[in-house]
Amino acid sequence: ANKNWIWIILVFVFIIIVIESIFPGGIAKWEEQMMSQVLIAYSTTDGQTKKICNHIEAAIQKSGSTVITKPVDKVIQDDLLNADKIIVGASIRYGKHSKQIYSFIDTYHEVLADKTNAFFSVNLVARKAEKNTAETNPYVKKFLKQIC
């Protein structure tokens, strides 16, 4: 049980680093802009990414924003069009993100590009200090290279 908490804490640290790297002004700027409609779309294998999304949803709702959290295969175009900000989360399984997450991004890439967005990856490699940023995490680097 203690190992799960340590892992979850490490993932949250990684999420904070990702948000800090994506949004100019970091978390403070993100919170300042929070009074909006936020979509959290995720792909999960064992449920950990969904748990993380639920924590993110609760934190965002405290700021007064409306949040919709859905698996990527349940997201429809209206969900994306109605959102001011979109957060996409995905887990790693056997060294790869799911085909669902690639399909989601391929299908909705234009809408995603027009919105303020963030991506986070749930992977154990991120627990290492030298691999916990978007620039140093091999899975995130590979993922971003494939979708760009």
Side-chain angles (χ1 to χ4, degrees):
N2 287 340
K3 288 182 182 180
N4 287 341
W5 282 109
I6 291 169
W7 184 81
I8 290 170
I9 290 168
L10 290 171
V11 170
F12 281 118
V13 169
F14 180 68
I15 291 168
I16 291 168
I17 291 167
V18 169
I19 291 173
E20 288 282 351
S21 68
I22 291 173
F23 295 101
I27 291 173
K29 186 69 172 176
W30 171 256
E31 288 174 346
E32 180 182 301
Q33 299 173 0
M34 289 307 293
M35 298 295 288
S36 56
Q37 173 86 17
V38 180
L39 171 66
I40 303 173
Y42 66 90
S43 170
T44 190
T45 303
D46 297 317
Q48 296 304 318
T49 305
K50 182 179 187 315
K51 289 179 186 177
I52 292 165
C53 289
N54 290 340
H55 284 285
I56 294 169
E57 176 181 3
I60 293 170
Q61 285 176 334
K62 286 180 183 177
S63 72
S65 291
T66 304
V67 183
I68 296 172
T69 302
K70 289 184 172 185
V72 292
D73 61 343
K74 303 290 185 204
V75 173
I76 60 173
Q77 187 158 350
D78 282 349
D79 294 329
L80 293 154
L81 294 174
N82 292 330
D84 299 306
K85 297 172 181 67
I86 301 167
I87 300 172
V88 178
S91 60
I92 294 290
R93 183 65 160 208
Y94 301 118
K96 298 179 181 177
H97 288 96
S98 74
K99 290 180 182 179
Q100 289 179 328
I101 206 74
Y102 286 104
S103 176
F104 173 79
I105 291 172
D106 186 50
T107 301
Y108 298 115
H109 69 276
E110 289 180 18
V111 178
L112 291 166
D114 288 340
K115 305 279 183 165
T116 299
N117 64 72
F119 170 77
F120 71 91
S121 177
V122 179
N123 62 79
L124 290 177
V125 172
R127 75 188 184 285
K128 299 176 184 176
E130 69 278 6
K131 295 185 179 182
N132 67 4
T133 69
E135 293 81 19
T136 61
N137 186 281
Y139 298 122
V140 173
K141 286 171 53 175
K142 179 181 173 183
F143 177 78
L144 293 174
K145 190 175 185 178
Q146 289 177 330
I147 65 167
C148 293

